Amino acid sequence: MLSPERLALPDYEYLAQRHVLTYVEDAVCQLLENKEDISQYGIARFFTEYFNSVCQGTHILFREFSFIQATPHNRASFLRAFWRCFRTVGKNGDLLTMREYHCLLQLLCPDFPLELTQKAARIVLMDDAMDCLMSFSDFLFAFQIQFYYSEFLESVAAIYQDLLSGKNPNTVIVPTSSSGQHRHRPSTGEAGTPEGVEASLFYQCLENLCDRHKYSCPPPALVKEVLSNVQRLTFYGFLVALSKHHGINQALGALPDKGDLMHDPAMDEELERLLAQIPGLVTSVTASPEASYLPPRTPPRVGSPWRPLHHARKVDGESDGSTEETDESET
Protein backbone atom coordinates (compact mmCIF):
# COMPACT_ATOMS: atom_id res chain seq x y z
CA MET A 1 0.00 0.00 0.00
CA LEU A 2 1.50 3.29 -1.11
CA SER A 3 1.52 6.20 1.31
CA PRO A 4 -0.60 9.34 0.55
CA GLU A 5 2.66 11.27 0.16
CA ARG A 6 3.87 8.83 -2.46
CA LEU A 7 0.58 8.95 -4.39
CA ALA A 8 0.54 12.76 -4.39
CA LEU A 9 3.99 13.17 -5.95
CA PRO A 10 5.24 12.33 -9.44
CA ASP A 11 7.89 9.60 -9.49
CA TYR A 12 10.80 11.94 -10.17
CA GLU A 13 9.83 14.32 -7.35
CA TYR A 14 9.42 11.49 -4.87
CA LEU A 15 12.81 10.00 -5.79
CA ALA A 16 14.45 13.43 -5.51
CA GLN A 17 12.82 14.12 -2.15
CA ARG A 18 14.08 10.80 -0.79
CA HIS A 19 17.54 11.30 -2.33
CA VAL A 20 17.39 7.87 -3.92
CA LEU A 21 19.92 8.80 -6.60
CA THR A 22 22.47 9.67 -3.90
CA TYR A 23 22.24 6.16 -2.47
CA VAL A 24 22.27 4.46 -5.86
CA GLU A 25 25.43 6.35 -6.84
CA ASP A 26 27.08 5.53 -3.51
CA ALA A 27 26.16 1.84 -3.81
CA VAL A 28 27.62 1.66 -7.31
CA CYS A 29 30.85 3.35 -6.14
CA GLN A 30 31.19 0.85 -3.30
CA LEU A 31 30.47 -1.98 -5.69
CA LEU A 32 33.28 -0.89 -8.01
CA GLU A 33 35.73 -0.27 -5.16
CA ASN A 34 35.09 -3.68 -3.58
CA LYS A 35 34.17 -5.76 -6.63
CA GLU A 36 36.58 -8.59 -5.80
CA ASP A 37 35.06 -9.15 -2.36
CA ILE A 38 31.50 -8.63 -3.55
CA SER A 39 31.88 -11.10 -6.40
CA GLN A 40 32.21 -13.87 -3.82
CA TYR A 41 28.60 -13.54 -2.66
CA GLY A 42 26.80 -11.76 -5.48
CA ILE A 43 25.76 -8.30 -6.59
CA ALA A 44 22.09 -8.82 -5.71
CA ARG A 45 22.98 -9.61 -2.10
CA PHE A 46 25.25 -6.58 -1.96
CA PHE A 47 22.48 -4.19 -3.04
CA THR A 48 20.03 -5.86 -0.64
CA GLU A 49 22.39 -5.39 2.30
CA TYR A 50 23.31 -1.87 1.24
CA PHE A 51 19.73 -0.62 1.18
CA ASN A 52 18.89 -2.53 4.34
CA SER A 53 21.71 -0.66 6.05
CA VAL A 54 20.32 2.63 4.69
CA CYS A 55 16.91 1.82 6.17
CA GLN A 56 18.47 0.84 9.50
CA GLY A 57 20.69 3.94 9.62
CA THR A 58 23.96 2.02 9.96
CA HIS A 59 25.20 3.02 6.50
CA ILE A 60 26.82 6.20 7.89
CA LEU A 61 29.19 4.46 10.32
CA PHE A 62 32.85 5.37 9.70
CA ARG A 63 31.98 7.16 6.46
CA GLU A 64 33.47 10.43 5.23
CA PHE A 65 31.81 13.68 6.34
CA SER A 66 30.69 14.59 2.83
CA PHE A 67 28.52 11.47 2.78
CA ILE A 68 27.22 11.86 6.33
CA GLN A 69 25.86 15.32 5.60
CA ALA A 70 24.65 14.50 2.07
CA THR A 71 20.99 13.85 2.97
CA PRO A 72 18.60 14.57 5.87
CA HIS A 73 18.31 10.82 6.49
CA ASN A 74 22.10 10.51 6.76
CA ARG A 75 22.24 13.37 9.25
CA ALA A 76 19.46 11.92 11.38
CA SER A 77 21.13 8.50 11.24
CA PHE A 78 24.44 9.98 12.40
CA LEU A 79 22.77 11.79 15.29
CA ARG A 80 21.07 8.57 16.36
CA ALA A 81 24.32 6.59 16.09
CA PHE A 82 26.22 9.17 18.17
CA TRP A 83 23.57 9.07 20.88
CA ARG A 84 23.39 5.29 21.00
CA CYS A 85 27.16 4.78 21.01
CA PHE A 86 28.03 7.36 23.66
CA ARG A 87 24.94 7.79 25.82
CA THR A 88 26.87 6.14 28.69
CA VAL A 89 28.77 9.43 28.96
CA GLY A 90 25.52 11.07 30.03
CA LYS A 91 24.35 8.03 31.98
CA ASN A 92 27.43 8.25 34.18
CA GLY A 93 27.01 12.00 34.62
CA ASP A 94 30.35 12.86 33.01
CA LEU A 95 31.11 16.38 31.82
CA LEU A 96 33.38 16.74 28.79
CA THR A 97 35.01 19.57 26.91
CA MET A 98 34.31 20.51 23.34
CA ARG A 99 37.46 18.80 22.09
CA GLU A 100 36.60 15.62 23.95
CA TYR A 101 33.18 15.53 22.31
CA HIS A 102 34.91 16.14 19.00
CA CYS A 103 37.11 13.09 19.57
CA LEU A 104 33.98 11.00 20.10
CA LEU A 105 32.49 12.33 16.87
CA GLN A 106 35.67 11.39 15.02
CA LEU A 107 35.35 7.80 16.19
CA LEU A 108 32.26 7.59 13.98
CA CYS A 109 33.44 9.97 11.26
CA PRO A 110 37.25 10.34 11.08
CA ASP A 111 37.20 13.62 9.14
CA PHE A 112 34.39 15.29 11.10
CA PRO A 113 35.19 19.04 11.05
CA LEU A 114 36.21 20.68 14.31
CA GLU A 115 34.43 23.89 13.37
CA LEU A 116 31.02 22.24 13.46
CA THR A 117 31.70 20.89 16.94
CA GLN A 118 32.80 24.36 18.04
CA LYS A 119 29.56 25.89 16.77
CA ALA A 120 27.50 23.34 18.66
CA ALA A 121 29.49 23.96 21.84
CA ARG A 122 28.98 27.71 21.49
CA ILE A 123 25.20 27.19 21.73
CA VAL A 124 25.73 25.59 25.14
CA LEU A 125 28.56 27.74 26.44
CA MET A 126 27.44 31.12 25.06
CA ASP A 127 30.03 33.56 26.43
CA ASP A 128 31.93 31.01 28.50
CA ALA A 129 35.36 29.78 27.45
CA MET A 130 35.36 26.97 24.90
CA ASP A 131 37.26 24.65 27.24
CA CYS A 132 34.43 24.61 29.79
CA LEU A 133 32.75 21.31 30.59
CA MET A 134 29.35 20.33 29.15
CA SER A 135 26.86 17.61 29.98
CA PHE A 136 26.12 15.02 27.32
CA SER A 137 22.46 16.00 26.97
CA ASP A 138 23.22 19.72 26.62
CA PHE A 139 25.83 19.10 23.96
CA LEU A 140 23.77 16.48 22.11
CA PHE A 141 20.65 18.61 21.64
CA ALA A 142 22.72 21.66 20.66
CA PHE A 143 24.72 19.50 18.25
CA GLN A 144 21.50 18.16 16.75
CA ILE A 145 20.30 21.65 15.82
CA GLN A 146 23.68 22.80 14.53
CA PHE A 147 24.45 19.68 12.51
CA TYR A 148 21.04 18.94 11.01
CA TYR A 149 20.13 22.55 10.20
CA SER A 150 23.62 23.90 9.47
CA GLU A 151 22.83 25.60 6.13
CA PHE A 152 19.66 27.11 7.54
CA LEU A 153 21.55 28.51 10.53
CA GLU A 154 24.16 30.09 8.26
CA SER A 155 21.39 32.06 6.58
CA VAL A 156 19.75 32.88 9.93
CA ALA A 157 23.04 34.31 11.19
CA ALA A 158 23.28 36.56 8.12
CA ILE A 159 19.70 37.77 8.54
CA TYR A 160 20.30 38.49 12.22
CA GLN A 161 23.36 40.57 11.46
CA ASP A 162 21.50 42.55 8.81
CA LEU A 163 18.72 43.30 11.27
CA LEU A 164 21.26 44.49 13.83
CA SER A 165 22.82 46.81 11.26
CA GLY A 166 19.45 48.18 10.15
CA LYS A 167 19.40 46.71 6.66
CA ASN A 168 16.19 45.84 4.80
CA PRO A 169 14.87 42.66 6.43
CA ASN A 170 13.13 41.63 3.20
CA THR A 171 16.42 41.33 1.33
CA VAL A 172 17.21 37.78 0.26
CA ILE A 173 20.24 36.61 2.23
CA VAL A 174 22.65 34.16 0.63
CA PRO A 175 25.70 33.28 2.74
CA THR A 176 28.95 33.60 0.80
CA SER A 177 30.68 30.91 2.84
CA SER A 178 29.57 27.82 4.70
CA SER A 179 32.13 28.39 7.41
CA GLY A 180 32.42 32.09 8.21
CA GLN A 181 29.23 33.81 9.24
CA HIS A 182 28.07 31.62 12.07
CA ARG A 183 31.51 31.34 13.59
CA HIS A 184 32.15 35.09 13.57
CA ARG A 185 29.04 35.87 15.62
CA PRO A 186 29.61 34.09 18.90
CA SER A 187 28.73 36.90 21.27
CA THR A 188 25.14 37.42 22.39
CA GLY A 189 25.94 40.84 23.75
CA GLU A 190 27.83 42.75 21.07
CA ALA A 191 28.58 46.34 22.04
CA GLY A 192 25.42 48.46 22.02
CA THR A 193 23.01 45.63 21.15
CA PRO A 194 22.62 43.41 24.23
CA GLU A 195 18.88 43.13 23.63
CA GLY A 196 19.18 41.49 20.21
CA VAL A 197 16.47 42.06 17.58
CA GLU A 198 12.71 42.30 17.55
CA ALA A 199 11.25 38.80 17.46
CA SER A 200 8.28 39.56 15.18
CA LEU A 201 10.49 41.20 12.57
CA PHE A 202 12.96 38.34 12.85
CA TYR A 203 10.21 35.83 12.15
CA GLN A 204 9.03 37.74 9.07
CA CYS A 205 12.50 37.31 7.63
CA LEU A 206 12.73 33.64 8.59
CA GLU A 207 9.35 32.76 7.12
CA ASN A 208 10.58 33.06 3.53
CA LEU A 209 13.84 31.40 4.47
CA CYS A 210 11.97 28.32 5.70
CA ASP A 211 10.22 28.08 2.34
CA ARG A 212 13.58 27.96 0.56
CA HIS A 213 15.01 25.33 2.96
CA LYS A 214 12.28 22.72 2.68
CA TYR A 215 14.45 19.80 3.79
CA SER A 216 16.80 21.49 6.25
CA CYS A 217 14.91 23.85 8.52
CA PRO A 218 12.68 23.43 11.57
CA PRO A 219 8.92 23.40 10.89
CA PRO A 220 7.88 27.06 10.36
CA ALA A 221 4.98 26.72 12.81
CA LEU A 222 7.41 25.70 15.55
CA VAL A 223 9.82 28.51 14.67
CA LYS A 224 6.90 30.91 15.01
CA GLU A 225 6.03 29.36 18.37
CA VAL A 226 9.59 29.88 19.62
CA LEU A 227 9.64 33.52 18.53
CA SER A 228 6.12 34.33 19.76
CA ASN A 229 7.17 33.77 23.37
CA VAL A 230 9.55 36.75 23.47
CA GLN A 231 9.61 40.34 22.28
CA ARG A 232 13.32 40.49 21.53
CA LEU A 233 16.04 37.88 21.35
CA THR A 234 19.67 37.34 20.43
CA PHE A 235 20.96 34.97 17.79
CA TYR A 236 22.30 32.45 20.27
CA GLY A 237 19.21 32.85 22.41
CA PHE A 238 17.27 31.70 19.34
CA LEU A 239 19.54 28.67 18.89
CA VAL A 240 19.23 27.73 22.56
CA ALA A 241 15.44 27.91 22.27
CA LEU A 242 15.51 25.67 19.20
CA SER A 243 17.74 23.11 20.91
CA LYS A 244 15.45 22.89 23.93
CA HIS A 245 12.15 22.80 22.04
CA HIS A 246 10.35 19.49 22.51
CA GLY A 247 8.34 19.81 19.30
CA ILE A 248 11.38 20.46 17.12
CA ASN A 249 13.14 17.41 18.54
CA GLN A 250 10.06 15.31 17.82
CA ALA A 251 9.72 16.68 14.28
CA LEU A 252 13.33 15.82 13.52
CA GLY A 253 12.83 12.32 14.90
CA ALA A 254 16.46 11.34 15.46
CA LEU A 255 16.66 11.52 19.26
CA PRO A 256 14.30 10.54 22.09
CA ASP A 257 12.90 13.08 24.50
CA LYS A 258 15.37 14.37 27.07
CA GLY A 259 13.77 12.32 29.82
CA ASP A 260 14.37 9.12 27.86
CA LEU A 261 17.83 10.01 26.60
CA MET A 262 19.68 7.55 28.83
CA HIS A 263 17.27 4.64 28.24
CA ASP A 264 17.72 2.31 25.29
CA PRO A 265 16.79 -1.25 26.37
CA ALA A 266 17.14 -2.63 22.85
CA MET A 267 20.71 -1.35 22.60
CA ASP A 268 21.58 -2.61 26.08
CA GLU A 269 20.38 -6.07 25.16
CA GLU A 270 22.28 -6.01 21.88
CA LEU A 271 25.46 -4.86 23.64
CA GLU A 272 25.27 -7.72 26.10
CA ARG A 273 24.76 -10.20 23.28
CA LEU A 274 27.67 -8.82 21.25
CA LEU A 275 30.06 -8.61 24.19
CA ALA A 276 29.28 -12.19 25.11
CA GLN A 277 30.66 -13.15 21.69
CA ILE A 278 33.91 -11.18 22.18
CA PRO A 279 35.55 -12.56 25.33
CA GLY A 280 38.87 -10.88 24.54
CA LEU A 281 37.22 -7.46 24.65
CA VAL A 282 35.46 -8.18 27.91
CA THR A 283 38.70 -9.41 29.46
CA SER A 284 40.59 -6.30 28.43
CA VAL A 285 37.91 -4.01 29.80
CA THR A 286 37.70 -5.91 33.07
CA ALA A 287 41.45 -6.00 33.47
CA SER A 288 41.87 -2.26 33.02
CA PRO A 289 38.90 -0.49 34.63
CA GLU A 290 40.92 2.67 35.05
CA ALA A 291 41.59 2.99 31.32
CA SER A 292 40.36 6.24 29.86
CA TYR A 293 37.17 6.07 27.82
CA LEU A 294 38.26 8.94 25.59
CA PRO A 295 40.38 8.60 22.47
CA PRO A 296 43.70 10.44 22.25
CA ARG A 297 43.49 14.11 21.38
CA THR A 298 44.91 13.21 17.98
CA PRO A 299 42.46 10.51 16.82
CA PRO A 300 44.30 7.35 15.77
CA ARG A 301 41.61 6.36 13.27
CA VAL A 302 42.52 7.22 9.71
CA GLY A 303 39.93 7.35 6.97
CA SER A 304 39.94 4.21 4.88
CA PRO A 305 37.81 2.85 2.08
CA TRP A 306 34.44 1.59 3.22
CA ARG A 307 34.37 -2.14 3.76
CA PRO A 308 31.89 -4.36 1.91
CA LEU A 309 28.53 -4.25 3.55
CA HIS A 310 28.45 -7.92 4.42
CA HIS A 311 30.83 -6.86 7.22
CA ALA A 312 28.51 -4.10 8.44
CA ARG A 313 27.18 -5.97 11.47
CA LYS A 314 30.69 -6.81 12.60
CA VAL A 315 31.76 -3.17 12.40
CA ASP A 316 28.64 -2.07 14.25
CA GLY A 317 29.46 -4.54 16.98
CA GLU A 318 32.95 -3.12 17.36
CA SER A 319 31.49 0.36 17.78
CA ASP A 320 29.08 -0.92 20.41
CA GLY A 321 31.95 -2.63 22.15
CA SER A 322 33.75 0.65 22.54
CA THR A 323 30.60 2.10 24.09
CA GLU A 324 30.53 -0.64 26.69
CA GLU A 325 34.16 0.03 27.43
CA THR A 326 33.15 3.62 28.17
CA ASP A 327 30.66 2.40 30.70
CA GLU A 328 33.03 -0.04 32.37
CA SER A 329 35.91 2.36 32.58
CA GLU A 330 33.79 4.97 34.30
CA THR A 331 32.63 2.75 37.15
Side-chain angles (χ1 to χ4, degrees), residues 65 97-106 109-122 130 134 139 143 146 179 183 297 299:
F65 179 73
T97 65
M98 179 275 298
R99 289 194 175 274
E100 288 168 335
Y101 281 116
H102 184 67
C103 287
L104 296 181
L105 289 166
Q106 286 187 308
C109 174
D111 65 337
F112 197 91
L114 176 63
E115 183 183 10
L116 199 54
T117 313
Q118 291 173 328
K119 290 178 179 180
R122 180 57 64 195
M130 289 297 285
M134 295 173 281
F139 176 80
F143 176 70
Q146 179 58 61
S179 61
R183 181 184 61 195
R297 290 305 179 102

Side-chain angles (χ1 to χ4, degrees), residues 40 75 140 226 292-293:
Q40 298 176 10
R75 297 186 188 198
L140 181 62
V226 168
S292 174
Y293 59 85

Side-chain angles (χ1 to χ4, degrees), residues 13-275:
E13 286 189 20
Y14 180 82
L15 294 175
Q17 187 183 89
R18 297 296 180 178
H19 302 273
V20 174
L21 184 59
T22 299
Y23 298 116
V24 171
E25 290 177 346
D26 183 63
V28 171
C29 287
Q30 290 195 38
L31 176 63
L32 295 175
E33 290 174 1
N34 302 280
K35 56 185 177 182
E36 293 184 3
D37 291 331
I38 293 171
S39 64
Q40 298 176 10
Y41 62 98
I43 294 177
R45 180 180 172 186
F46 164 76
F47 278 106
T48 298
E49 293 191 1
Y50 177 88
F51 283 102
N52 280 340
S53 72
V54 171
C55 292
Q56 295 166 5
T58 58
H59 64 301
I60 47 78
L61 291 172
F62 318 121
R63 293 298 302 271
E64 64 279 4
F65 179 73
S66 60
F67 180 74
I68 286 174
Q69 69 165 355
T71 72
H73 175 66
N74 286 7
R75 297 186 188 198
S77 298
F78 185 78
L79 286 167
R80 192 176 299 110
F82 181 75
W83 160 62
R84 298 190 80 183
C85 287
F86 302 115
R87 66 191 171 89
T88 48
V89 173
K91 198 172 183 180
N92 294 333
D94 298 305
L95 303 178
L96 305 182
T97 65
M98 179 275 298
R99 289 194 175 274
E100 288 168 335
Y101 281 116
H102 184 67
C103 287
L104 296 181
L105 289 166
Q106 286 187 308
L107 289 177
L108 301 182
C109 174
D111 65 337
F112 197 91
L114 176 63
E115 183 183 10
L116 199 54
T117 313
Q118 291 173 328
K119 290 178 179 180
R122 180 57 64 195
I123 298 174
V124 179
L125 299 175
M126 302 291 281
D127 292 329
D128 293 333
M130 289 297 285
D131 59 352
C132 289
L133 299 174
M134 295 173 281
S135 72
F136 181 74
S137 60
D138 286 346
F139 176 80
L140 181 62
F141 284 110
F143 176 70
Q144 173 177 240
I145 293 297
Q146 179 58 61
F147 175 61
Y148 194 88
Y149 299 127
S150 58
E151 296 85 358
F152 171 74
L153 296 185
E154 289 287 344
S155 297
V156 171
I159 288 174
Y160 179 82
Q161 285 299 307
D162 274 3
L163 287 176
L164 282 181
S165 62
K167 292 183 181 179
N168 184 354
N170 294 320
T171 302
V172 175
I173 306 298
V174 180
T176 57
S177 170
S178 62
S179 61
Q181 293 182 343
H182 190 168
R183 181 184 61 195
H184 291 135
R185 293 163 177 80
S187 175
T188 59
E190 298 285 337
T193 58
E195 71 283 358
V197 300
E198 185 180 341
S200 60
L201 184 59
F202 193 37
Y203 175 71
Q204 291 175 17
C205 299
L206 298 189
E207 196 171 17
N208 290 333
L209 181 62
C210 287
D211 291 338
R212 298 200 304 274
H213 286 264
K214 291 182 179 179
Y215 305 117
S216 60
C217 74
L222 298 182
V223 174
K224 183 177 183 179
E225 181 180 317
V226 168
L227 295 175
S228 65
N229 293 328
V230 294
Q231 292 185 340
R232 301 184 70 86
L233 83 169
T234 62
F235 175 63
Y236 277 92
F238 175 63
L239 299 192
V240 169
L242 291 181
S243 70
K244 294 183 177 181
H245 196 282
H246 173 75
I248 291 177
N249 181 58
Q250 281 196 325
L252 201 153
L255 302 176
D257 295 335
K258 189 171 183 177
D260 298 324
L261 199 62
M262 306 310 163
H263 305 291
D264 189 0
M267 174 61 85
D268 290 337
E269 184 177 340
E270 181 70 5
L271 282 174
E272 291 178 5
R273 185 185 68 80
L274 290 170
L275 287 175

